[in-house]
Amino acid sequence: MKITFLPQNITCEAEAGDTILQAAVKAGVNIDGNCAGKGTCGKCKVKIVEGDLSECVDHHHRLSQNEEEAGYRLACCHKVSDGMVVEMPEAETTASRKKKMVILPENFEPGETVEKHCITVEKASLANQNSDEVRVEQALGWEDLRFSYSALERLPQALSEGEEVTVTLRDGEVIDVEPGNTEDENYGIAVDIGTTTVVVMLWNLRKGSMEEISAVTNPQGAYGADVISRITFVMEQAGNLSVIHKAVIDCINRAIEEFAETLHIRPQNIYRFAVVGNTTMSHIFLQINPSALAVAPFAPVFTRGKTVLAAELGLHANEAAEVYTAANIAGHVGSDITAGVITTDLMDCDKGHLFIDIGTNGEIVLTGNGRAVACSTAAGPAFEGSSITQGMRAARGAIEKVDIREDSVDISVIGDCEPVGICGSGIIDAVGELIRTGIVDKSGRLLDRKKLEKKGISEGILKHIREDGKSCDFVLYFSEDGKNDVVITQKDVREVQLAKAAISAGITIMMKEIGVTLDTLEKVSIAGAFGNYIRNASAINIGLLPAVNEEKIVSLGNSAGIGASMILLSERCREESEIVAERIQHIELAGRSDFQDQYMMAMMF
Amino acid sequence: MKITFLPQNITCEAEAGDTILQAAVKAGVNIDGNCAGKGTCGKCKVKIVEGDLSECVDHHHRLSQNEEEAGYRLACCHKVSDGMVVEMPEAETTASRKKKMVILPENFEPGETVEKHCITVEKASLANQNSDEVRVEQALGWEDLRFSYSALERLPQALSEGEEVTVTLRDGEVIDVEPGNTEDENYGIAVDIGTTTVVVMLWNLRKGSMEEISAVTNPQGAYGADVISRITFVMEQAGNLSVIHKAVIDCINRAIEEFAETLHIRPQNIYRFAVVGNTTMSHIFLQINPSALAVAPFAPVFTRGKTVLAAELGLHANEAAEVYTAANIAGHVGSDITAGVITTDLMDCDKGHLFIDIGTNGEIVLTGNGRAVACSTAAGPAFEGSSITQGMRAARGAIEKVDIREDSVDISVIGDCEPVGICGSGIIDAVGELIRTGIVDKSGRLLDRKKLEKKGISEGILKHIREDGKSCDFVLYFSEDGKNDVVITQKDVREVQLAKAAISAGITIMMKEIGVTLDTLEKVSIAGAFGNYIRNASAINIGLLPAVNEEKIVSLGNSAGIGASMILLSERCREESEIVAERIQHIELAGRSDFQDQYMMAMMF
């Protein structure tokens, strides 16, 4: 049966019994979602424009009555019907937002990792019977030129079209030969495979400039929200590794096809890839079994950087294009962290420098006193908005900033529209403000009106407290009919509390390990788009970041993406990344008796 | 419709309208033949045991009446019928003969090009969280170990089966990991792709011993007898290069399957290939367009050695197995010659040393006075028996030696059976003897009885002369009923005359070029099985070889196969072969004004 997805207007064949989410995955259409089709997260909301609406399965009450009546359904719970037309939530173009997050460091110098030279090759004659390869070598003025197999195959045809050809060189090897002058068509792809989002960046290797960026939901989400559930999926059945591997390859290929179409480039002219991601993503990307990462001792199959052919992975590019996956640091500290570190001066720093990447796992790198250590803490998905009742990605309609003033609550919403949920930075800000104002106490309890009244909280704020007898919630936004309010619940505060405790305990252990104190901590670098949007004061208020002077806190933007791009553009950076990964010592928190103590202590706000 | 081939008992589907030859090629059954299905060479004679015999197409009278009545037909002219059973001419096991031709030089030392080490790898623990790759490195005691992609993929599975694994190493890279101890299962394949015959040799790389050899007719013969007609086939249609390329790949794969079955080895344990052949064969093997080799200036696409993955060519072997095709010297002096040269001391020789490989092309290398030159002469297929009226391959039933005595003619037949034809060495011997005895004069004319009687030739010999009024033939063998006589015709003598003239002129030009004379010529090395069977005196008699002392003539055996094996077994030999190919200067006879003169002069016996 046929199903059509809007606004892309993609029609595909689905099987009876498929859910809309399953059909979307098969069609390569990205739908948000991170409960792996369990119907619990409510993120895969779509509007059914045409088709069977008779049933509405929503066990977890993710849809309001209004939404249900308007034809909204959960894609993971609703079955397809023939001729169905489904409209996706407004396609948020996070790309421009993402692009702003990938700014190369000012002192970065791209090296020519792939060179293209237009040359004029002498025709063969009885006086010059040299082979095509030798005549190309003579034209280039090089010695001992090697040819990739695919370049060799193409050589006679290219030379037959004229004496002017363009040769593509990598490490002294000709990897492509094209008729005419194609020197400018020299592309590379940097990829940051996040558990949630895959960012694909197209670079012109000659100019060192970013041509386009694509950020889409990682389609592996259909098989599990986090790395552990995806590894579990892999372990369930022999073919599953290939399925989940193919999902991410297809996702990158779709981005490449999009680039090719909109920018009129040929995938044939993509010669190099640099890929980063957490260690599980790195394993799955290379179709290497990640099972060992799910259980102690979490030993990966590999950590070092790997070079394979794009063709071996099925990536759309030149036949000789190489894919470099950057070095991981440990089982749960991946190459996204390695890449992030090379964008900073972390490794030079003799005083304390903290690098922190906050996501489902909080990865922490700390340098100082001549040492470099890293750890990973299980923060859970709270800071990505996903275990939060009305949490959502940093997309249109998400509350990203909260100010609790004397008598009112001010919010900032992405897209300046009516809010529909709250994203990671919004949650930190909201909880930070609730703590600053004493509405949430040190133990994490959202106080009731009576207690707050005693503390002298104004009526304008008190009306935001919603009590149900057992616990209190805090309403950030009141909708007109009250049905679409956005609320922070007591449970949400607890989620934040658990998450920040894990990260905070990790930071404390690291600092103890290499003897860095709050006084000697000179810099705190925050990785990820996240860092750009959180208010440092709030992050300090909730105890997520150490209480340093705010000036010491630096936001790195998409440091994984920036690092991947630097590795793509420069052999020197690639080598540096390998040294960094080798030098950073991994500390396994699960192996330390002091971690549980620290964790309990860090629980208080 | 079904057709069955005996003695292999292979049944396959053929299409109505297919000739038996076409069906055989599709089924992977080797049938001799070198007129590319034109019905002229008569080499593809088969016996139809069951099936439609009604028609007998034999425009060129290649079948005797006896044969026709016994059910013999030409496979290239006879169409298949459903249920047909075809018996091939007795499968000549030239393999044992071929094996004897591949003896490594006494001073040759195999290097361990591929090493296998059985190691015990520590299990990961919280105390040793190192990755699988690092723990393998620790077990090996190596540093900076690299892994091929396929080895990495296999690593977690192999380690899960036990702590003892065998790693396969090539150039410091792990290319395979297997559970348990498989150190002895370490194989390589050397291939000599002749225009007529493909020789595939299985070597144990650990032991440096040949395990098996297979010699089969090059299935490309179905698309043309010689390199020029095969190139013409390639030029006819875009897909033809792929067809003729696949023919030789399939042929090698069949040999590998045979080895695997009979010796119980796994193609997975084949890690390396070394391949030699003439320049056209090298191009087709790599699926590189050889069109330029058919017309002046005969510039190849490549001459240098090339390494590609077996997987890229579709060869059955380990995923990481590499295929090295040795360096060619020029468009018509291929890597089979390069390989042959490294089996000799040719490159050390300061006095004259002539290397000659006699086939459809006569390739000549001459060293001396500090120089090394090579050329190729178009000898035609006479010395391979194929332009000779009753010529055949050196197989059972072929006359390989001829002695014309005072009063009788003695012949030696391969397999000591009734002769059915004459092979290359037999032709040279026969013509050599006819010249020695004066039956053929200096101009190449087979004298009639009258003239011979005058010269005092005995009646016992005279009765071998068969006159038809215009010209004379010489009967080597009289069959009982006269229908299966084996005869050398005047035309055959002319074919030999043209062929030897080309080679002889080439040798003369080479000698002039670098100043080597008959006196300073110290050694003549003859490549190919051919050299083992020709009688040096006869070769000198007909003027094919320079008139040196017979002791200076050395037969090298299958020097191309020996050289390929040496390159397979030793990196040093591989490097040497590249230097040799680079150092030998190619002389294009087509570009020399003195060649035609020499050719005319060399025409006389």
Side-chain angles (χ1 to χ4, degrees):
Chain A
M1 44 184 67
K2 291 223 180 313
I3 175 166
T4 303
F5 293 95
L6 302 177
Q8 301 97 322
N9 202 20
I10 295 174
T11 300
C12 72
E13 273 300 320
E15 276 174 53
D18 274 359
T19 62
I20 295 172
L21 183 63
Q22 287 167 330
V25 168
K26 286 181 192 166
V29 172
N30 287 303
I31 293 187
D32 262 13
N34 44 27
C35 69
K38 295 193 183 73
T40 55
C41 77
K43 303 286 186 281
C44 63
K45 215 179 279 181
V46 296
K47 187 175 176 182
I48 297 177
V49 181
E50 279 173 44
D52 182 15
L53 276 167
S54 54
E55 201 193 357
C56 179
V57 184
D58 178 18
H59 298 302
H60 300 273
H61 312 293
R62 290 307 183 182
L63 297 168
S64 68
Q65 204 180 333
N66 271 0
E67 285 175 329
E68 197 181 320
E69 280 164 14
Y72 282 93
R73 292 294 182 273
L74 297 180
C76 72
C77 297
H78 202 85
K79 299 235 155 59
V80 296
S81 61
D82 195 28
M84 184 176 265
V85 178
V86 168
E87 192 179 273
M88 323 285 288
E90 187 177 338
E92 26 118 10
T93 51
T94 47
S96 67
R97 206 174 154 119
K98 289 274 177 192
K99 202 164 184 173
K100 276 185 228 142
M101 293 291 148
V102 181
I103 308 290
L104 298 178
E106 267 181 30
N107 60 353
F108 171 74
E109 278 177 30
E112 268 198 273
T113 52
V114 175
E115 293 172 46
K116 293 188 81 164
H117 295 289
C118 180
I119 52 172
T120 302
V121 179
E122 192 185 334
K123 272 199 187 326
S125 64
L126 280 178
N128 183 358
Q129 277 189 315
N130 280 317
S131 64
D132 293 353
E133 65 175 343
V134 168
R135 292 186 345 269
V136 166
E137 187 177 273
Q138 289 169 341
L140 263 175
W142 284 38
E143 265 178 41
D144 280 329
L145 200 61
R146 288 167 297 121
F147 278 75
S148 78
Y149 183 33
S150 52
L152 196 69
E153 275 183 301
R154 225 169 265 155
L155 182 55
Q157 178 61 34
L159 285 177
S160 76
E161 292 186 26
E163 286 169 45
E164 191 185 72
V165 296
T166 302
V167 292
T168 306
L169 289 150
R170 180 186 59 207
D171 288 338
E173 184 183 20
V174 176
I175 58 168
D176 200 7
V177 185
E178 296 163 292
N181 187 340
T182 60
E183 283 185 346
D184 278 340
E185 289 149 43
N186 185 355
Y187 299 103
I189 297 274
V191 186
D192 168 23
I193 308 178
T195 309
T196 312
T197 307
V198 178
V199 181
V200 184
M201 292 150 276
L202 176 73
W203 289 85
N204 186 309
L205 298 177
R206 182 184 179 85
K207 300 174 185 164
S209 58
M210 193 198 283
E211 304 286 315
E212 194 48 276
I213 188 168
S214 153
V216 294
T217 303
N218 188 334
Q220 294 176 341
Y223 311 106
D226 49 48
V227 296
I228 299 302
S229 51
R230 289 186 204 164
I231 295 174
T232 309
F233 172 75
V234 167
M235 292 166 83
E236 270 166 16
Q237 207 177 302
N240 285 359
L241 174 57
S242 156
V243 167
I244 198 166
H245 159 76
K246 209 172 163 299
V248 69
I249 297 294
D250 288 350
C251 169
I252 298 169
N253 277 338
R254 277 195 298 274
I256 292 172
E257 273 161 35
E258 236 178 76
F259 296 156
E261 226 167 82
T262 55
L263 303 176
H264 305 291
I265 69 155
R266 299 190 312 144
Q268 187 62 43
N269 290 126
I270 296 172
Y271 299 105
R272 187 177 158 102
F273 289 75
V275 179
V276 304
N278 64 52
T279 311
T280 302
M281 291 300 110
S282 301
H283 277 59
I284 294 176
F285 173 71
L286 290 178
Q287 203 172 179
I288 305 290
N289 198 319
S291 302
L293 296 172
V295 288
F298 314 110
V301 177
F302 67 99
T303 50
R304 294 188 184 144
K306 291 281 168 266
T307 300
V308 303
L309 288 174
E312 287 181 281
L313 298 174
L315 286 170
H316 297 171
N318 188 280
E319 292 93 328
E322 280 182 353
V323 180
Y324 177 74
T325 58
N328 297 297
I329 295 166
H332 289 293
V333 186
S335 56
D336 48 350
I337 303 302
T338 311
V341 168
I342 66 162
T343 70
T344 70
D345 55 357
L346 207 74
M347 301 306 281
D348 307 331
C349 192
D350 251 351
K351 293 222 176 153
H353 187 163
L354 178 69
F355 173 100
I356 174 165
D357 190 347
I358 297 164
T360 306
N361 278 327
E363 290 104 336
I364 300 158
V365 182
L366 182 70
T367 57
N369 299 322
R371 286 183 65 193
V373 288
C375 74
S376 164
T377 63
F383 297 132
E384 292 184 320
S386 116
S387 60
I388 302 299
T389 317
Q390 286 184 277
M392 64 180 288
R393 279 174 51 192
R396 187 179 158 83
I399 295 174
E400 59 168 349
K401 213 172 161 193
V402 176
D403 280 288
I404 303 182
R405 305 201 187 276
E406 189 57 38
D407 203 36
S408 66
V409 175
D410 288 359
I411 55 170
S412 300
V413 179
I414 298 178
D416 282 328
C417 54
E418 191 176 16
V420 293
I422 182 163
C423 68
S425 61
I427 288 156
I428 290 174
D429 220 23
V431 177
E433 285 289 276
L434 290 172
I435 286 162
R436 184 183 59 77
T437 53
I439 298 168
V440 164
D441 69 11
K442 294 280 171 203
S443 75
R445 186 165 185 79
L446 235 160
L447 301 183
D448 58 23
R449 279 195 205 168
K450 215 159 129 192
K451 287 203 184 100
L452 291 174
E453 247 174 298
K454 270 190 200 157
K455 290 182 84 170
I457 300 288
S458 73
E459 187 50 36
I461 299 300
L462 283 182
K463 70 174 186 196
H464 284 263
I465 304 293
R466 188 174 282 170
E467 300 179 340
D468 72 353
K470 273 185 264 169
S471 69
C472 298
D473 298 340
F474 189 87
V475 182
L476 290 174
Y477 170 74
F478 292 100
S479 63
E480 244 171 70
D481 61 359
K483 282 179 177 163
N484 292 317
D485 294 352
V486 179
V487 178
I488 293 274
T489 67
Q490 174 65 61
K491 185 184 144 291
D492 293 343
V493 176
R494 294 293 181 211
E495 290 281 345
V496 169
Q497 202 170 0
L498 290 167
K500 75 100 187 177
I503 289 171
S504 171
I507 294 173
T508 308
I509 301 261
M510 294 290 99
M511 287 171 71
K512 258 176 57 184
E513 178 70 28
I514 64 171
V516 167
T517 64
L518 263 187
D519 290 334
T520 57
L521 190 58
E522 287 234 314
K523 212 187 215 177
V524 176
S525 293
I526 304 176
F530 195 74
N532 282 51
Y533 297 105
I534 60 166
R535 191 157 21 163
N536 296 335
S538 295
I540 293 173
N541 273 345
I542 68 165
L544 176 63
L545 296 183
V548 293
N549 188 319
E550 272 189 57
E551 281 159 22
K552 291 182 176 174
I553 301 176
V554 178
S555 169
L556 300 173
N558 177 3
S559 53
I562 298 169
S565 302
M566 288 165 68
I567 290 169
L568 175 74
L569 294 167
S570 155
E571 271 302 317
R572 202 187 49 71
C573 283
R574 166 158 135 168
E575 282 159 23
E576 194 189 321
S577 73
E578 303 208 333
I579 294 167
V580 162
E582 198 73 37
R583 225 190 110 196
I584 295 176
Q585 187 195 345
H586 177 247
I587 308 287
E588 177 59 53
L589 296 181
R592 294 187 65 123
S593 53
D594 49 356
F595 180 68
Q596 291 305 325
D597 299 342
Q598 284 299 340
Y599 182 57
M600 294 313 293
M601 281 166 63
M603 205 69 89
M604 301 298 266
F605 279 119
Chain B
M1 45 184 66
K2 292 218 180 315
I3 176 166
T4 302
F5 293 96
L6 301 177
Q8 300 98 321
N9 202 20
I10 294 175
T11 301
C12 71
E13 272 302 318
E15 275 174 54
D18 274 359
T19 63
I20 295 172
L21 183 62
Q22 285 166 330
V25 168
K26 284 180 194 169
V29 171
N30 287 303
I31 294 186
D32 263 12
N34 45 26
C35 69
K38 296 192 181 72
T40 55
C41 77
K43 302 287 185 282
C44 63
K45 215 179 277 181
V46 295
K47 187 175 177 182
I48 297 175
V49 182
E50 279 173 43
D52 181 18
L53 276 166
S54 54
E55 201 193 359
C56 180
V57 185
D58 177 17
H59 298 301
H60 300 272
H61 312 293
R62 290 306 182 183
L63 297 167
S64 69
Q65 203 178 334
N66 273 359
E67 286 175 328
E68 196 180 321
E69 281 163 14
Y72 283 92
R73 293 293 181 274
L74 297 180
C76 73
C77 298
H78 202 83
K79 298 236 155 59
V80 296
S81 60
D82 195 28
M84 182 175 265
V85 178
V86 168
E87 192 179 271
M88 323 284 291
E90 187 177 340
E92 27 118 9
T93 50
T94 46
S96 67
R97 205 172 154 124
K98 288 276 176 188
K99 203 165 183 172
K100 275 186 230 145
M101 292 292 149
V102 181
I103 309 289
L104 297 177
E106 265 180 34
N107 60 353
F108 171 73
E109 278 176 31
E112 267 198 274
T113 52
V114 175
E115 293 174 45
K116 293 189 82 165
H117 296 289
C118 180
I119 53 172
T120 303
V121 179
E122 192 185 332
K123 271 199 189 326
S125 63
L126 281 177
N128 183 357
Q129 276 190 315
N130 279 317
S131 63
D132 293 353
E133 66 176 342
V134 168
R135 293 186 343 270
V136 166
E137 187 178 273
Q138 288 169 342
L140 264 175
W142 283 39
E143 265 178 40
D144 280 330
L145 199 62
R146 288 167 296 120
F147 278 76
S148 78
Y149 184 34
S150 52
L152 196 68
E153 276 183 302
R154 226 169 263 155
L155 182 55
Q157 178 62 33
L159 286 177
S160 76
E161 291 186 29
E163 287 169 45
E164 192 185 74
V165 297
T166 302
V167 292
T168 307
L169 290 149
R170 180 185 58 206
D171 286 339
E173 185 183 21
V174 176
I175 58 167
D176 200 6
V177 184
E178 295 164 292
N181 187 339
T182 62
E183 284 184 346
D184 278 341
E185 289 149 42
N186 185 355
Y187 300 103
I189 297 275
V191 186
D192 167 23
I193 307 177
T195 308
T196 312
T197 306
V198 178
V199 181
V200 184
M201 293 150 274
L202 175 73
W203 288 85
N204 186 309
L205 298 178
R206 182 183 178 85
K207 301 173 183 164
S209 58
M210 194 198 284
E211 304 286 315
E212 195 47 277
I213 188 167
S214 154
V216 295
T217 303
N218 188 334
Q220 295 175 342
Y223 310 105
D226 50 47
V227 296
I228 299 301
S229 51
R230 290 187 204 165
I231 296 174
T232 309
F233 172 75
V234 167
M235 292 166 83
E236 270 167 15
Q237 207 178 303
N240 284 359
L241 174 57
S242 156
V243 167
I244 199 165
H245 159 75
K246 209 173 162 300
V248 70
I249 297 293
D250 288 349
C251 168
I252 297 168
N253 278 338
R254 277 194 298 275
I256 291 172
E257 273 161 36
E258 235 177 79
F259 295 157
E261 225 168 84
T262 54
L263 302 176
H264 306 291
I265 69 156
R266 299 189 312 143
Q268 188 62 42
N269 291 125
I270 296 172
Y271 299 104
R272 189 177 156 103
F273 289 75
V275 179
V276 305
N278 64 51
T279 311
T280 301
M281 290 300 111
S282 300
H283 277 59
I284 294 176
F285 174 71
L286 290 178
Q287 204 172 177
I288 305 289
N289 198 319
S291 302
L293 296 172
V295 288
F298 315 109
V301 176
F302 67 100
T303 49
R304 296 190 183 142
K306 292 281 167 264
T307 300
V308 302
L309 287 173
E312 288 181 282
L313 298 174
L315 287 170
H316 296 171
N318 188 279
E319 293 92 329
E322 280 182 353
V323 180
Y324 177 74
T325 57
N328 298 297
I329 295 166
H332 289 293
V333 186
S335 56
D336 48 348
I337 303 304
T338 311
V341 169
I342 66 162
T343 70
T344 69
D345 55 358
L346 207 73
M347 300 306 281
D348 308 331
C349 193
D350 252 351
K351 291 219 177 156
H353 187 164
L354 177 70
F355 173 101
I356 176 165
D357 189 346
I358 296 164
T360 307
N361 277 326
E363 289 104 336
I364 301 158
V365 182
L366 182 69
T367 56
N369 300 323
R371 286 184 66 194
V373 288
C375 73
S376 165
T377 63
F383 298 132
E384 293 184 320
S386 116
S387 61
I388 302 300
T389 316
Q390 285 184 279
M392 66 180 287
R393 280 173 52 190
R396 187 178 158 85
I399 296 175
E400 57 169 348
K401 214 171 159 197
V402 175
D403 281 288
I404 303 181
R405 307 200 184 279
E406 191 57 41
D407 205 35
S408 66
V409 175
D410 287 358
I411 56 171
S412 301
V413 179
I414 298 178
D416 282 327
C417 55
E418 191 177 15
V420 295
I422 183 162
C423 66
S425 61
I427 288 156
I428 291 174
D429 220 26
V431 177
E433 286 289 275
L434 291 172
I435 287 162
R436 184 183 60 77
T437 52
I439 299 170
V440 165
D441 69 11
K442 293 280 171 201
S443 75
R445 186 167 183 80
L446 236 159
L447 302 181
D448 58 25
R449 281 194 203 167
K450 213 160 135 193
K451 290 206 181 93
L452 290 174
E453 248 176 298
K454 272 190 197 155
K455 291 180 84 170
I457 300 290
S458 72
E459 188 49 38
I461 299 300
L462 283 181
K463 70 174 184 193
H464 285 263
I465 304 292
R466 187 174 283 170
E467 299 179 340
D468 72 351
K470 274 186 262 169
S471 68
C472 299
D473 300 338
F474 189 86
V475 182
L476 290 173
Y477 171 74
F478 292 100
S479 61
E480 244 172 69
D481 61 359
K483 282 180 178 163
N484 294 315
D485 295 352
V486 180
V487 178
I488 293 273
T489 66
Q490 174 65 62
K491 185 184 144 291
D492 293 341
V493 176
R494 293 293 180 210
E495 289 282 344
V496 169
Q497 202 171 1
L498 288 168
K500 76 99 187 178
I503 289 170
S504 171
I507 294 172
T508 308
I509 299 263
M510 294 291 98
M511 287 171 72
K512 256 176 56 184
E513 178 69 28
I514 63 171
V516 167
T517 64
L518 262 188
D519 291 333
T520 58
L521 191 57
E522 287 233 313
K523 210 188 217 178
V524 176
S525 293
I526 304 176
F530 194 76
N532 283 51
Y533 297 104
I534 60 167
R535 188 152 31 159
N536 297 333
S538 295
I540 294 173
N541 273 344
I542 68 165
L544 176 62
L545 296 182
V548 293
N549 188 318
E550 271 189 57
E551 283 160 23
K552 292 183 176 175
I553 300 176
V554 178
S555 169
L556 299 174
N558 177 3
S559 54
I562 298 169
S565 302
M566 288 165 68
I567 290 170
L568 176 73
L569 293 167
S570 155
E571 272 302 317
R572 203 187 50 69
C573 283
R574 167 159 134 166
E575 282 159 24
E576 194 189 321
S577 73
E578 303 209 334
I579 295 167
V580 161
E582 197 73 38
R583 224 189 111 196
I584 295 176
Q585 187 195 344
H586 176 249
I587 307 288
E588 178 59 55
L589 296 181
R592 296 188 61 122
S593 54
D594 49 355
F595 179 69
Q596 291 306 325
D597 298 345
Q598 283 298 340
Y599 182 57
M600 295 314 293
M601 280 166 63
M603 205 71 89
M604 302 298 268
F605 280 117

